[in-house]
Amino acid sequence: MEATIRKDDGRRVTLILDGRLDTSVTHQTEKEVEPLFEYKNIEVVIDCSRLEYISSSGLRLLMAIDQRLCANHCDIYVKGLRDEVKDVFQTTGFVNLFKFK
């Protein structure tokens, strides 16, 4: 699992998730995304086009990211869900918790 933060411009940051977001990597990924929380009042896009799998611990991490960024008055969007990951979002109701691009 690799999490990359890319500043696109002064108003948008993209978090690219690449690989499998499961229990074995959630703690490390949490550390990798920590710099996101320095941003305020911007748009954050979570790019899941390279995300192959997400477990319940991965979903909890996304929810924690969303909560912290919302506290920073950021607009958060998810994009690029593969069918397998989209099924998990739909089954768990996470499609109702996020905005999608």
Side-chain angles (χ1 to χ4, degrees):
M1 175 68 209
E2 185 176 340
T4 306
I5 299 170
R6 184 183 71 212
K7 188 164 186 175
D8 298 331
D9 58 37
R11 300 205 28 90
R12 178 185 295 150
V13 172
T14 300
L15 169 62
I16 302 166
L17 300 176
D18 189 349
R20 296 175 56 88
L21 185 51
D22 58 25
T23 305
S24 67
V25 298
T26 303
H27 185 67
Q28 180 61 36
T29 305
E30 190 173 4
K31 290 179 185 177
E32 291 175 7
V33 302
E34 193 69 31
L36 268 180
F37 307 129
E38 297 173 12
Y39 295 101
K40 295 180 180 12
N41 301 310
I42 64 165
E43 180 179 291
V44 177
V45 177
I46 303 173
D47 184 349
C48 296
S49 59
R50 298 181 191 167
L51 186 64
E52 300 167 6
Y53 172 82
I54 190 165
S55 70
S56 59
S57 61
L59 290 171
R60 280 191 298 275
L61 175 59
L62 288 184
M63 190 180 319
I65 291 170
D66 181 67
Q67 289 173 344
R68 289 194 59 189
L69 290 173
C70 283
N72 288 348
H73 307 286
C74 295
D75 292 318
I76 303 99
Y77 298 92
V78 175
K79 77 170 194 173
L81 291 179
R82 293 180 178 197
D83 287 340
E84 306 83 25
V85 176
K86 189 175 188 175
D87 286 345
V88 174
F89 271 68
Q90 289 174 333
T91 301
T92 59
F94 269 63
V95 292
N96 300 316
L97 301 177
F98 290 95
K99 295 181 270 183
F100 295 87
K101 279 198 168 216

